[in-house]
Amino acid sequence: MANRWRSAGGNLRAVLQHPSSRQQAPFQSFSALYHTIQAIPRECTGNRVSVKDRAQGRIPAVVFSQELNPSTTTVRSVSKKHLLTTERKQIQAILKSVELPFFCSTRFPLQIRAGSGSSDLLESGNVLPIKIHRDEESGKILNLVFVWADEGSQLKVDVPVVFKGEDVCPGLKKGGHLNKIRTTLKYLCPAEHIPHKIEVDISKLDIGDRVFIPDVEVHPSMKLLSKNETMPICKIVATKLENPESAGV
């Protein structure tokens, strides 16, 4: 029977990792603080207005409170949506820097100003992108959806799973194949502990070995929302059948 992990040195664990320094705290969340999204209010809605905004180099957006924990005190109004527009060049630069699919698991500061180039700040806070609408043919971004992600708020997040150690994985070196069963894991977690990504180390897996969700270490405040916890995250499977031992003819 295949083991979850095989290691002569003891149990292995898949560890939550972040893109910054190795010296940082094990469960410190990643926030793209160097990218402050600039937006201005959008009072009107409708296709014509959106087309005009896009023609002017802007992307329509909306930000609202997800409010998954009504008992949590929040300064945000849960009933009011903020209709905004953002600068296409800035969003494209952020996507180039942060890269998909990590964009929707990264918190960003947001500043809502009175107008384009205005120094009059109407509101600010941290937001989490939850959806990017694109044109099916051109791939051009049509609009963006954000939720407020201030500290203390509880949010649902699909965290991308990234696999590392493929270049030294014993099972892959033997001709095995990495079956990536889960590419994301859904959690309910405080905004300040949203992980940028989850890295799963497969560097010591052999053919038949699997990694399960309990093998992944995350911040203790994070609650798993993914269904079927017994389904493995990944598995090393054989791609070639072993030749049967020669039998006398």
Side-chain angles (χ1 to χ4, degrees):
M1 181 180 295
N3 296 323
R4 286 190 178 183
W5 295 99
R6 282 183 194 163
S7 173
N11 294 330
L12 293 176
R13 301 286 289 176
V15 180
L16 177 68
Q17 303 249 347
H18 303 282
S20 53
S21 170
R22 294 181 181 179
Q23 281 74 36
Q24 75 179 93
F27 300 115
Q28 182 180 341
S29 64
F30 173 76
S31 181
L33 296 177
Y34 47 90
H35 287 305
T36 299
I37 298 175
Q38 300 293 330
I40 60 176
R42 173 171 54 101
E43 297 181 359
C44 302
T45 61
N47 187 56
R48 289 185 178 180
V49 176
S50 297
V51 170
K52 182 180 179 179
D53 286 336
R54 297 184 191 108
Q56 295 175 345
R58 306 193 66 83
I59 300 175
V62 61
V63 58
F64 60 94
S65 294
Q66 201 175 71
E67 191 61 18
L68 296 176
N69 187 359
S71 63
T72 301
T73 302
T74 175
V75 298
R76 302 293 177 187
S77 171
V78 299
S79 61
K80 184 179 179 181
K81 292 183 179 180
H82 288 70
L83 301 177
L84 311 169
T85 63
T86 58
E87 297 180 8
R88 180 187 298 120
K89 289 184 178 180
Q90 185 191 31
I91 298 301
Q92 290 175 337
I94 292 173
L95 286 171
K96 185 177 180 181
S97 175
V98 177
E99 297 181 354
L100 291 173
F102 310 121
F103 180 68
C104 288
S105 59
T106 304
R107 285 200 308 160
F108 297 90
L110 171 70
Q111 293 182 343
I112 304 175
R113 298 191 177 275
S116 181
S118 172
S119 59
D120 187 6
L121 182 64
L122 302 179
E123 190 168 357
S124 64
N126 293 316
V127 295
L128 176 73
I130 61 172
K131 190 172 294 184
I132 304 175
H133 294 282
R134 294 181 182 270
D135 182 89
E136 293 183 358
E137 295 182 359
S138 66
K140 185 178 180 179
I141 299 176
L142 298 178
N143 52 67
L144 300 166
V145 181
F146 300 94
V147 294
W148 289 111
D150 295 319
E151 290 191 13
S153 58
Q154 296 281 333
L155 301 175
K156 288 183 179 179
V157 187
D158 280 314
V159 185
V161 174
V162 176
F163 301 92
K164 67 174 186 177
E166 296 183 50
D167 55 332
V168 295
C169 175
L172 297 184
K173 285 191 172 184
K174 293 178 181 178
H177 169 71
L178 174 60
N179 183 10
K180 301 177 182 179
I181 302 171
R182 290 177 180 262
T183 56
T184 64
L185 292 175
K186 184 183 288 291
Y187 289 95
L188 174 64
C189 61
E192 61 269 28
H193 294 308
I194 294 174
H196 185 56
K197 61 182 177 180
I198 291 178
E199 289 190 350
V200 176
D201 188 352
I202 65 166
S203 62
K204 296 186 179 180
L205 298 190
D206 208 336
I207 292 176
D209 287 348
R210 308 175 185 185
V211 180
F212 291 83
I213 293 178
D215 297 315
V216 177
E217 292 182 358
V218 296
H219 194 277
S221 65
M222 296 172 58
K223 179 182 178 182
L224 181 72
L225 298 177
S226 299
K227 297 180 179 179
N228 193 0
E229 295 185 27
T230 60
M231 181 185 294
I233 297 174
C234 67
K235 179 182 179 180
I236 306 296
V237 297
T239 55
K240 296 181 180 179
L241 295 176
E242 295 181 0
N243 294 326
E245 294 183 0
S246 301
V249 179

